Amino acid sequence: MITYDKIQSFMRAARDEDRERRSINVSGASLQDAIEQACIELQVSIDDLEYEVLEKGSSGMLGIGKKPYLLLAYAKQKAAEMASFDEDFGFEMGFDEDESQDHDGEALVKLTPDGVVLKIKQPIGDGIPVSENSAMQAITHRYTGKFNAAVVQRLVKNPVDEFMKIADYDYNPANDVAMTIELADAEMRAYLTLHAPGPGGADPTEKMLRQFLESNDVTEGINEKLLHRLDEAPLYGEAILIAEGSLPVNGRDGRIQYTFQTDTTHVNLKQDDRGRVDFKELNLVQNVVEGQALAKKVPPEPGVDGITVTGKVLPATNGKDCSVEVGRNVKLTDDGNAAIALINGQVLIHNNKIIVDPVYTVEGDVNLKTGNVTFLGTVLVKGSVEDGFSVKASGNIEIHGSVGKADIDAEGDVIVHQGITARNEGTIRCGKSVYAKFIENANVQAGEFVVVSDGIINSQVNCDRRIICRGKRAAIVGGHLRASEEIAAKTLGSVAGSETILEVGYDPRKREELDALMEREKEVEKQLDEAKLNVDSFENTVKSGKKLPKEKQQQYYEQRKLKANLTTEVDEIRDQMREINNYLAQLKSQGRISASATVYQGVRIYIKDAVQEVRSEYNAVTFVNEEGMVKITKYVEPEDISLGG
């Protein structure tokens, strides 16, 4: 709410600000020229300049009769203060220049060797046409003798774009117009001054003006429109800029255009649809793919020579050439004008050369300083991955420290030198194998092996091949572990009888997919039953002879359509389930579960279709499936698994 006190406070602040602000008066041929001059004198940018137009300039007609712009300029107030005032009062501070294209009509009178001539020019846009009285005034200003008033009246009523004779006079060539020329700025400008003709003398023609300029060596940069204007309406007693030379323009040097951000200190924060910024997504890694264009050369540009009004050439310098420099994993195109990535990875400039590195190294921890890491290659983290962050790679991920409640996703291996402590929120996914010191309260999905030294505790682990725990404390305690071929550890379960579920002998991912399909089947069947009841209810109403209102008819059609769609979905789900069951039944892997030391009570063993719940302790045993039953055999040492498969 705007109060009187608030207005007073703002105005007092504005008054104090005005006292401290330095203002200057500047002028310029145009508004832009005046503004630029004010910026130079106040040493501020255009954005920080405020000004008032004291006197609006005019370009005249082809430069004749022009007036400069006069401004009062000063530095702008602070943006925050201005914004608060504008926001409170609901208007914006601004200035729109009115550049009208309207021109009044003109009465042009010339003295020629053949007599006095008159031309009436029509107005442009909303300009005012020439009146008979203003035409008479124009004539008497140049000629005081008798003239043909009838011709004048006819021209005013029906203007034509040519001079018409209105009077004779005693022509005296000796008193014709006199002309002088002045060269300035090292012959870059030529100023023409016309001296009014004496009694009986004639005004200049365009041909006379051109011949005079040429006789004084002014041949370049002539203002042709102004020359024509001086033929129509000569201006006497003023130095007129009639010709301007052109300065040389040096050619732009060749340069390299990069398709990636070369400033490695730049942080590219992105906003979501609601304008929120995720400060974990710093986008510091610039990923490129094989075959991607990384840079191209823009060739140098030739210079453009300048020239003086007298025709002297001012030579310009051509731009300098450059070359695209490439390093490892980058090649040049055949013409040498572009750089192409040879592999996936991060693009960098090293020693002024473009390179693509297949390994992205985080020197410390993955945290707010680094943001989340996504890389088309291998990632090496020399520290740890803190809670809430993610590391994703198309190659391997190697972490020298530990992993907290983080999201780790690799197409290759995941190697954690310390442990994984996910606190039931972190997820590890990889296309190949997971190697870690221990895994605790984590969700792990591996395409090949899971290998740990100190054990797996209360975790969900799905592995397409083998889960191996080998070390002094190599225990599997709690959780649900699935592997296609083998699960092996020193101890399985715990003295306290923690529920530990171990499954082998089938594809765990297919099994997980089957479980999801079974859950979905239950949901769809429930929805289908409801749709059937609704359809039956509507149809029974119709059978009883009652007519359904339009709203109910629409609901009936919607329920029929829903029923058909759900029926189709149930059939599709059951087909998928049959395919998975057939696939699981045909798997050759029998699977085995082994403990080199102790298997405790509370461990549940699944080997293909056979189930065994351990009710007493066993030492150094291997569980296998024989004839559909879990059989306990002598311990079988698992095969060694080397790092990388």
Side-chain angles (χ1 to χ4, degrees):
M1 178 179 178
I2 304 302
T3 64
Y4 180 73
D5 290 340
K6 189 171 183 180
I7 296 174
Q8 279 191 321
S9 177
F10 177 83
M11 297 305 294
R12 281 195 296 269
R15 179 198 61 198
D16 295 340
E17 177 80 17
D18 288 340
R19 288 173 178 173
E20 297 176 359
R21 296 164 77 187
R22 184 169 69 93
S23 62
I24 58 170
N25 291 314
V26 293
S27 64
S30 66
L31 179 62
Q32 185 64 33
D33 289 342
I35 290 173
E36 290 178 356
Q37 183 63 32
C39 290
I40 293 172
E41 294 189 24
L42 290 173
Q43 296 182 342
V44 297
S45 65
I46 291 180
D47 292 337
D48 294 328
L49 182 74
E50 288 186 348
Y51 60 86
E52 298 175 15
V53 179
L54 300 178
E55 184 174 338
K56 188 175 179 181
S58 172
S59 59
M61 180 65 73
L62 297 176
I64 297 176
K66 61 183 179 181
K67 296 190 301 181
Y69 275 83
L70 298 180
L71 305 183
L72 174 65
Y74 38 85
K76 184 182 291 186
Q77 287 179 292
K78 294 181 180 179
E81 296 173 359
M82 293 300 296
S84 64
F85 184 80
D86 293 348
E87 182 179 328
D88 290 341
F89 284 86
F91 62 85
E92 294 181 357
M93 312 285 277
F95 176 78
D96 293 326
E97 182 184 0
D98 179 22
E99 294 185 356
S100 174
Q101 298 299 317
D102 300 330
H103 294 285
D104 294 341
E106 288 184 285
L108 304 176
V109 180
K110 281 190 62 178
L111 304 177
T112 72
D114 296 327
V116 181
V117 294
L118 171 68
K119 179 196 286 190
I120 303 297
K121 300 192 73 170
Q122 297 191 55
I124 297 175
D126 294 330
I128 301 172
V130 175
S131 66
E132 185 176 336
N133 183 52
S134 60
M136 296 296 185
Q137 291 179 355
I139 294 169
T140 56
H141 180 71
R142 294 297 314 279
Y143 176 69
T144 58
K146 294 183 179 181
F147 56 88
N148 191 330
V151 174
V152 175
Q153 292 174 351
R154 186 173 70 250
L155 289 175
V156 170
K157 291 181 179 179
N158 300 292
V160 293
D161 193 23
E162 61 181 58
F163 283 98
M164 303 293 291
K165 185 176 178 180
I166 59 171
D168 291 312
Y169 74 104
D170 293 332
Y171 172 56
N172 182 0
N175 286 337
D176 279 351
V177 62
M179 296 176 278
T180 57
I181 195 80
E182 179 185 357
L183 301 180
D185 298 336
E187 299 185 3
M188 292 301 292
R189 289 179 174 81
Y191 292 90
L192 173 66
T193 302
L194 302 180
H195 303 279
D203 293 323
T205 64
E206 186 172 341
K207 182 178 180 180
M208 290 171 56
L209 293 170
R210 194 178 302 280
Q211 289 175 344
F212 177 74
L213 293 175
E214 291 178 356
S215 66
N216 285 275
D217 297 326
V218 177
T219 58
E220 302 294 335
I222 297 172
N223 188 332
E224 297 293 339
K225 290 184 178 180
L226 181 55
L227 205 64
H228 178 69
R229 177 63 179 174
L230 291 174
D231 174 61
E232 286 188 329
L235 180 66
Y236 294 112
E238 291 187 19
I240 302 166
L241 180 61
I242 195 65
E244 281 190 280
S246 58
L247 293 171
V249 179
N250 293 331
R252 189 175 181 181
D253 291 341
R255 60 195 186 280
I256 308 299
Q257 286 185 342
Y258 298 96
T259 62
F260 58 94
Q261 178 67 44
T262 57
D263 181 6
T264 57
T265 63
H266 178 73
V267 176
N268 184 22
L269 292 174
K270 294 183 178 180
Q271 294 182 343
D272 60 17
D273 295 338
R274 298 182 180 180
R276 296 175 301 188
V277 175
D278 185 354
F279 289 95
K280 295 178 183 177
E281 295 293 343
L282 302 183
N283 300 293
L284 297 178
V285 183
Q286 298 193 76
N287 290 291
V288 296
V289 297
E290 180 183 350
Q292 181 176 333
L294 306 178
K296 70 174 183 178
K297 182 179 80 171
V298 178
E301 298 173 0
V304 179
D305 291 340
I307 193 168
T308 67
V309 295
T310 58
K312 295 178 183 177
V313 176
L314 305 175
T317 303
N318 294 328
K320 298 178 182 179
D321 200 3
C322 65
S323 60
V324 183
E325 300 291 335
V326 300
R328 62 182 184 275
N329 303 319
V330 181
K331 71 172 183 178
L332 290 175
T333 53
D334 293 340
D335 58 9
N337 290 333
I340 306 295
L342 292 175
I343 62 170
N344 296 349
Q346 66 166 330
V347 60
L348 302 166
I349 295 181
H350 182 67
N351 293 332
N352 295 322
K353 293 182 178 181
I354 304 171
I355 66 170
V356 175
D357 198 332
V359 178
Y360 179 71
T361 302
V362 179
E363 293 297 334
D365 296 337
V366 174
N367 51 27
L368 279 173
K369 183 178 180 180
T370 63
N372 295 331
V373 176
T374 302
F375 183 55
L376 293 176
T378 291
V379 174
L380 173 61
V381 179
K382 292 188 176 180
S384 300
V385 180
E386 294 185 0
D387 292 349
F389 289 88
S390 68
V391 179
K392 300 178 182 180
S394 63
N396 299 335
I397 297 176
E398 182 173 359
I399 301 164
H400 286 183
S402 60
V403 174
K405 294 189 299 183
D407 187 9
I408 309 297
D409 194 340
E411 291 184 18
D413 296 326
V414 172
I415 305 161
V416 182
H417 290 219
Q418 299 300 317
I420 300 170
T421 308
R423 296 199 286 282
N424 296 318
E425 293 186 31
T427 300
I428 312 296
R429 289 179 293 268
C430 68
K432 291 187 177 180
S433 303
V434 174
Y435 301 88
K437 189 173 183 180
F438 64 85
I439 299 173
E440 182 177 345
N441 295 309
N443 187 328
V444 178
Q445 300 172 23
E448 292 185 357
F449 307 110
V450 173
V451 181
V452 299
S453 60
D454 284 0
I456 302 173
I457 302 171
N458 296 326
S459 296
Q460 306 294 313
V461 181
N462 287 327
C463 176
D464 286 358
R465 294 192 62 187
R466 301 161 65 190
I467 300 172
I468 305 296
C469 296
R470 180 173 291 173
K472 292 182 179 180
R473 296 187 297 274
I476 296 176
V477 180
H480 192 162
L481 282 66
R482 293 170 172 171
S484 176
E485 299 175 7
E486 181 178 16
I487 297 175
K490 184 176 180 180
T491 61
L492 302 176
S494 67
V495 176
S498 302
E499 183 181 62
T500 305
I501 302 173
L502 309 176
E503 301 183 42
V504 295
Y506 57 87
D507 187 329
R509 297 196 183 190
K510 286 294 182 182
R511 180 69 188 185
E512 193 173 86
E513 186 178 342
L514 181 62
D515 291 344
L517 286 170
M518 292 172 66
E519 288 296 322
R520 179 58 183 165
E521 181 187 28
K522 292 178 182 178
E523 294 176 6
V524 175
E525 284 180 337
K526 182 178 179 181
Q527 295 174 17
L528 181 57
D529 289 341
E530 292 178 0
K532 286 179 179 178
L533 286 173
N534 292 333
V535 171
D536 290 344
S537 176
F538 285 125
E539 291 179 347
N540 290 334
T541 301
V542 174
K543 288 177 183 178
S544 66
K546 296 180 181 179
K547 187 176 180 181
L548 292 174
K550 288 185 178 180
E551 182 180 331
K552 295 294 183 181
Q553 289 179 20
Q554 182 64 31
Q555 293 177 3
Y556 171 58
Y557 293 135
E558 290 175 355
Q559 289 298 311
R560 283 185 57 185
K561 184 178 180 181
L562 178 61
K563 175 185 172 182
N565 291 339
L566 292 173
T567 301
T568 300
E569 186 175 354
V570 167
D571 292 339
E572 291 175 350
I573 290 172
R574 288 171 180 170
D575 287 341
Q576 294 178 46
M577 290 170 62
R578 276 192 294 270
E579 289 179 6
I580 293 174
N581 281 320
N582 291 336
Y583 165 76
L584 293 175
Q586 294 170 6
L587 285 177
K588 294 181 180 180
S589 174
Q590 293 295 320
R592 65 187 183 189
I593 298 173
S594 303
S596 62
T598 307
V599 180
Y600 292 100
Q601 296 181 51
V603 175
R604 195 179 306 164
I605 305 292
Y606 291 83
I607 304 178
K608 292 184 74 69
D609 297 330
V611 182
Q612 173 75 49
E613 185 168 348
V614 178
R615 300 185 182 278
S616 59
E617 293 184 7
Y618 296 97
N619 294 313
V621 294
T622 294
F623 299 90
V624 297
N625 184 317
E626 285 190 7
E627 299 179 354
M629 297 182 64
V630 175
K631 183 178 180 180
I632 303 172
T633 65
K634 184 179 179 181
Y635 174 72
V636 178
E637 185 76 17
E639 297 178 6
D640 287 335
I641 299 175
S642 60
L643 189 63

